[in-house]
Amino acid sequence: MEDRDTFLREFRGETLGTVSAQSSPDEIFQNQTIRPILKLQNDLFLAVFINYINKNKRDFYSYSVEKKLQTIENSIQKDIKFRNSLKGIVMALFTIEEYDTYIQNSSNLNKRMMNLVIERLKSKVQLFEVEVK
């Protein structure tokens, strides 16, 4: 297990965002664990979302930018299966120690995680202009 944990930490890279003495435990976890994973998995999140809209939101590409942004948010917030698959993409890269930390406050950390995924997808909305199959 130690080899896996060491590999994951090195593979993901450094902390993203600021961590200080005033940072809350959730903020530290977000910046040391969640953000590096999201950055690493960015292309996969884009591919997963494109697959999701191609299967579930056929007319997504004809939406206005504002409606696309709302659809991204609603898809992640309201589609439990989709949200759980996105969480799994992140959690698969947790170390055992990080998983132990995560389960202590999973509800709040899930909110942070999904908000970051939503913002990441929204920032790439221009990539969702033409249908990709």
Side-chain angles (χ1 to χ4, degrees):
M1 283 297 182
E2 207 168 297
D3 289 343
R4 178 186 182 275
D5 290 355
T6 301
F7 169 77
L8 286 173
R9 282 193 181 97
E10 290 173 2
F11 184 64
R12 291 191 320 233
E14 298 297 317
T15 298
L16 298 173
T18 306
V19 174
S20 68
Q22 291 79 31
S23 297
S24 71
D26 289 349
E27 187 177 2
I28 292 169
F29 188 84
Q30 170 185 292
N31 292 338
Q32 288 182 340
T33 303
I34 296 173
R35 285 182 186 273
I37 291 172
L38 295 182
K39 182 178 179 185
L40 178 66
Q41 298 288 68
N42 188 63
D43 291 344
L44 181 57
F45 285 124
L46 293 173
V48 167
F49 186 71
I50 287 168
N51 180 60
Y52 176 83
I53 58 177
N54 286 341
K55 286 186 174 183
N56 300 295
K57 308 283 182 190
R58 290 244 169 233
D59 52 350
F60 178 86
Y61 297 100
S62 66
Y63 294 171
S64 67
V65 171
E66 196 57 42
K67 187 167 182 186
K68 285 179 182 178
L69 295 173
Q70 190 61 49
T71 301
I72 291 169
E73 194 164 332
N74 286 342
S75 297
I76 293 172
Q77 289 178 344
K78 296 181 178 171
D79 187 328
I80 307 286
K81 285 182 181 180
F82 182 56
R83 184 172 65 230
N84 286 341
S85 71
L86 295 173
K87 283 191 281 189
I89 290 170
V90 176
M91 292 173 58
L93 295 180
F94 284 176
T95 65
I96 299 302
E97 180 184 337
E98 290 165 344
Y99 180 73
D100 289 340
T101 301
Y102 166 79
I103 60 176
Q104 302 293 320
N105 193 13
S106 61
S107 180
N108 191 33
L109 292 171
N110 283 337
K111 287 178 191 167
R112 286 175 177 267
M113 189 187 310
M114 290 303 102
N115 284 336
L116 289 169
V117 171
I118 288 167
E119 291 310 310
R120 192 165 273 276
L121 289 173
K122 282 182 171 183
S123 75
K124 303 292 184 189
V125 73
Q126 73 276 7
L127 297 177
F128 308 127
E129 292 296 320
V130 180
E131 187 169 358
V132 179
K133 294 190 181 201

